[in-house]
Amino acid sequence: MTHVLPGPLVSTDWLARHLDDVVLLDATFTLPGADPDAAALYAAGHIPGARFFDIDGIADPASALPHMIPAPADFTRVAGRLGIADGAPVVVYDAAGLMSAGRAWWTLRLFGHTNVAVLDGGLKAWRAEGRPITTEPPIPAEATFTPNLNPNLIADRAAVLANLDHPTAQVVDARSAERFEGRVPEPRAGLRSGHIPHSRNLPFNALSDPATGKVLPPEALRDRFVQAGVDLDRPIITSCGSGVTAAALAFALALLGRDDVAVYDGSWSEWGQGTDTPVATGPADAV
């Protein structure tokens, strides 16, 4: 399978014509305790041929943090079972449009698989257009996947702490303004409220049209980042609650030509623990 994708974002029309040419992944994600959960949503209806990319399951089993990136050998086995061969064209989507699809897109790129795109509008747009849905899961043929980890696309707690002392990268947080500013409790128990000092705030749902789920045009995306105080010419680390919607920001930045953005994998699930990391509250610092 050597089909070349037209870009990092594909339309529903394009996918409808190429369903048999791509590996299709449903990366729908829900927060803990949601009913139905992501697996149940997938089982209730997905695009024909889509395999379920289980963000909670494709994770480091040794970490107490949610869905931390697995070791390359572990991801190799998962990718093989999903039928993702080296170089295969992969299209990912989620139920909302651009919420968790970016996490699957980023994970594949992190492990060196660059022939991957996001479906514009996701399942929301596909359903709205009356396109076919199935409850039948596919049975993909086992494939050979060779990982090639790109460490520049991931940041850890130590890197973010070091950046506070010697600021080089801008940290951009994808959580809601209420969570960023510390005005509401975090949905995960035991975490402090607030944000990483000096970070910017751009909620992930500001990147797409709420009516259609489709990603905003490039100029509108650029305006969103600039209005949030982000200098698009400087290094960027994205963050969120647990590393999922941070990847949506990274995807939007890739559409603007920034394919070098790092995602803080632990995000607030790690930073907000204990008392040994500094926390700020209130709006982002003035630019």
Side-chain angles (χ1 to χ4, degrees):
M1 195 183 294
T2 58
H3 195 88
V4 177
L5 297 168
L9 187 69
V10 300
S11 69
T12 50
D13 282 342
W14 185 93
L15 180 62
R17 296 194 304 270
H18 295 281
L19 272 178
D20 295 332
D21 301 323
V22 302
V23 174
L24 185 60
L25 303 177
D26 184 322
T28 297
F29 171 78
T30 55
L31 287 170
D35 185 18
D37 63 11
L41 290 172
Y42 170 80
H46 51 268
I47 299 175
R51 303 100 195 256
F52 181 48
F53 188 95
D54 183 2
I55 288 173
D56 274 331
I58 302 172
D60 178 2
S63 176
L65 296 170
H67 41 256
M68 293 289 282
I69 283 295
D74 292 335
F75 186 75
T76 295
R77 286 189 287 272
V78 170
R81 289 196 297 269
L82 289 171
I84 305 172
D86 290 342
V90 179
V91 175
V92 299
Y93 71 88
D94 64 45
L98 184 61
M99 186 268 193
S100 52
R103 175 73 182 194
W105 168 87
W106 169 74
T107 301
L108 284 162
R109 290 182 67 249
L110 178 68
F111 286 108
H113 195 93
T114 57
N115 197 18
V116 55
V118 169
L119 175 63
D120 197 10
L123 188 62
K124 181 175 185 176
W126 186 269
R127 284 185 181 274
E129 294 164 4
R131 300 185 186 273
I133 297 293
T134 185
T135 57
E136 293 296 320
I139 305 175
E142 187 82 17
T144 299
F145 181 89
T146 308
N148 183 20
L149 185 71
N150 182 351
N152 296 322
L153 298 184
I154 189 168
D156 60 13
R157 177 179 177 276
V160 179
L161 275 170
N163 189 68
L164 288 179
D165 294 332
H166 304 284
T168 301
Q170 305 157 97
V171 176
V172 188
D173 192 320
R175 293 175 300 156
S176 68
E178 292 83 1
R179 290 174 65 189
F180 178 87
E181 295 175 10
R183 292 188 276 120
V184 296
E186 282 295 301
R188 288 183 173 84
L191 298 180
R192 293 171 290 166
S193 296
H195 59 267
I196 298 167
H198 313 303
S199 54
R200 321 309 303 171
N201 182 215
L202 179 55
F204 77 93
N205 54 9
L207 305 173
S208 54
D209 183 327
T212 65
K214 295 187 177 182
V215 180
L216 298 178
E219 281 309 308
L221 285 179
R222 186 179 298 276
D223 287 345
R224 293 285 194 276
F225 282 99
V226 171
Q227 289 165 10
V230 180
D231 183 342
L232 294 170
D233 293 325
R234 289 180 53 207
I236 297 171
I237 297 171
T238 61
S239 181
C240 62
S242 63
V244 174
T245 57
L249 294 184
F251 175 74
L253 286 161
L255 294 179
L256 299 177
R258 289 298 306 273
D259 59 1
D260 58 345
V261 171
V263 169
Y264 175 21
D265 194 22
S267 284
W268 200 255
S269 293
E270 181 176 44
W271 194 273
Q273 292 183 7
T275 58
D276 60 345
T277 47
V279 169
T281 56
D285 298 340
V287 180

